[in-house]
């Protein structure tokens, strides 16, 4: 078997946590960990009543899989359209399309996010509201 660069098995405590005022993200597969060059995969947790504002990812598709919780997802394909989302739902967001997610439930909204190609995860690190916790470090109040 060839010696492949990057890690093959990643656990949540192995990677840093991005902390925002609306929740957290752990990128479990990205160029920095698995050396992937075609996609990025992470776990997003939105706090109850919180969400992220309307934004887009130029040149990048996104898939969201709702693991648990409930919320609303907006995709702007000419007109803003909000849809309820809950456990088991999948949302496809085409490249360049503006979108937003809000947790409408009382518990955290947990989703798996996949970007193709990678890139938005690196951009998120540069945002003023992003705080980085070292691998294994827990957010305050956890």
């Amino acid at each position: 078997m060839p010696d492949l660069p990057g890690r093959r098995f990643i656990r949540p405590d192995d990677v840093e946590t991005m902390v925002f005022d609306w929740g957290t993200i752990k990128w479990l597969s990205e160029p920095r960990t698995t050396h992937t060059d075609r996609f990025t995969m992470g776990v997003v947790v939105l706090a109850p009543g919180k969400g992220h504002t309307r934004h887009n990812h130029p040149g990048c598709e996104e898939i969201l899989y709702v693991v648990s919780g409930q919320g609303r997802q907006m995709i702007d394909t000419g007109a803003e359209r909000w849809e309820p989302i809950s456990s088991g739902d999948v949302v496809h967001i085409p490249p360049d399309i503006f979108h937003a997610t809000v947790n409408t439930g009382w518990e955290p909204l947990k989703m798996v996010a996949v970007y193709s190609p990678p890139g938005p995860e690196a951009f998120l690190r540069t945002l003023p509201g992003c705080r980085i916790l070292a691998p294994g470090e827990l957010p305050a109040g956890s």
Side-chain angles (χ1 to χ4, degrees):
M1 178 177 227
D3 184 23
L4 299 171
R7 299 182 63 182
R8 298 300 122 224
F9 298 92
I10 295 89
R11 290 169 180 81
D13 281 348
D14 294 339
V15 297
E16 67 190 20
T17 304
M18 290 182 174
V19 179
F20 300 90
D21 63 351
W22 47 260
T24 60
I25 305 176
K26 281 192 163 285
W27 296 109
L28 300 172
S29 179
E30 64 167 316
R32 294 166 10 119
T33 55
T34 57
H35 295 209
T36 183
D37 61 357
R38 295 187 182 145
F39 68 90
T40 296
M41 178 275 199
V43 177
V44 179
V45 178
L46 296 177
K50 299 285 187 168
H52 51 77
T53 58
R54 183 179 187 273
H55 66 285
N56 73 344
H57 308 291
C60 181
E61 286 184 274
E62 182 173 4
I63 291 284
L64 296 172
Y65 173 75
V66 182
V67 175
S68 61
Q70 61 185 26
R72 292 186 322 136
Q73 180 69 49
M74 184 276 290
I75 299 177
D76 188 346
T77 57
E80 278 192 16
R81 179 177 168 195
W82 287 90
E83 290 281 337
I85 56 172
S86 62
S87 178
D89 291 350
V90 169
V91 179
H92 172 249
I93 302 160
D96 309 317
I97 298 296
F98 282 90
H99 56 284
T101 310
V102 176
N103 181 346
T104 59
W106 62 271
E107 64 183 336
L109 174 61
K110 187 175 189 178
M111 300 181 293
V112 172
V114 178
Y115 294 143
S116 179
E121 75 290 342
F123 174 73
L124 287 169
R125 296 176 65 77
T126 69
L127 294 178
C130 180
R131 189 166 50 98
I132 305 293
L133 300 182
E137 185 179 347
L138 294 175
S142 292

